[in-house]
Amino acid sequence: MITPEFSRPHRLDAIGAGEREVRVEADAGERAALARRFGLMAIDRLAADFAIRRDATGVIARGTLSGAVVQACGVTGEPVPAKVEEAFDIRFLPEPEAGADEVELSEDECDTVFYSGGAIDLGEAAAETLALALDPFPRSPNAEAALREAGVLSEAQTGPFAALAKLKKT
C-alpha cells in the first residue's frame, strides 16, 4: 500500500457520539509532493475543515476545502494561479471484505471513501477533493492568441453557425 503524501489519520474511537470539528492543513513538503502527484506547478495553500460524525454504516464528513494552486496552461505552459473553495460531503465506509457482496452506492453517495483498520485518513480525503476541484483545462490569458497563431480555429469559426455567419457577410 502506498503511503499518501498528506496523511492525517483520525481514529474512529476518537469520534464519539456527537459531531466533531477537525482542521487539517498541509505543510510545505506535503504540498510539494501533492503538486508532483497531481501535475501542478505548485500548491501554495491547502486546508480542510471537517465536521465528522458517526452514522449507522460509517462516518459522515462535511466541510470545506480551501487552497491556492498554480496549474500549467494547457496551451502555453504558463502558470495559471487559481483559488480553490470547495464544499464536500464524504461518506467513509469500511472496506468490503474479499468475496463479500458488492456495495451499492446511490447517486447521493458518490463521494464515498473506503477505509480499513481503526482510522479514516482526512488528509488523503482532502487531497482527493482538491484533485476533483481542479480545472481540467486551465488557460492563461495568452492561450487564445497562441492558438490563433498556431492556426487553431475557435468554436465560433467552426461551429454550426459558422457557415451562416459567412453567408451573412456576403
Side-chain angles (χ1 to χ4, degrees), residues 10-117:
H10 191 82
R11 291 175 35 150
L12 295 172
D13 61 4
I15 296 173
E19 191 169 84
R20 181 180 175 102
E21 307 252 337
V22 180
R23 179 175 178 85
V24 297
E25 194 160 355
D27 66 28
E30 292 165 332
R31 292 192 313 268
L34 285 172
R36 283 189 298 278
R37 174 175 159 192
F38 298 137
L40 300 171
M41 297 176 100
I43 299 175
D44 297 324
R45 184 175 45 83
L46 176 60
D49 292 305
F50 290 87
I52 56 177
R53 65 176 173 78
R54 288 184 175 270
D55 77 351
T57 59
V59 176
I60 303 292
R62 290 186 170 83
T64 306
L65 174 100
S66 63
V69 302
V70 180
Q71 294 179 270
C73 172
V75 176
T76 66
E78 296 173 329
V80 179
K83 291 195 182 315
V84 178
E85 294 292 329
E86 188 76 15
F88 58 80
D89 285 322
I90 301 171
R91 177 180 296 275
F92 291 91
L93 295 175
E95 187 78 43
E97 294 180 24
D101 292 337
E102 290 184 18
V103 176
E104 295 252 350
L105 300 175
S106 66
E107 222 175 276
D108 63 331
E109 294 178 318
C110 61
D111 291 337
T112 299
V113 175
F114 293 102
Y115 68 88
S116 60

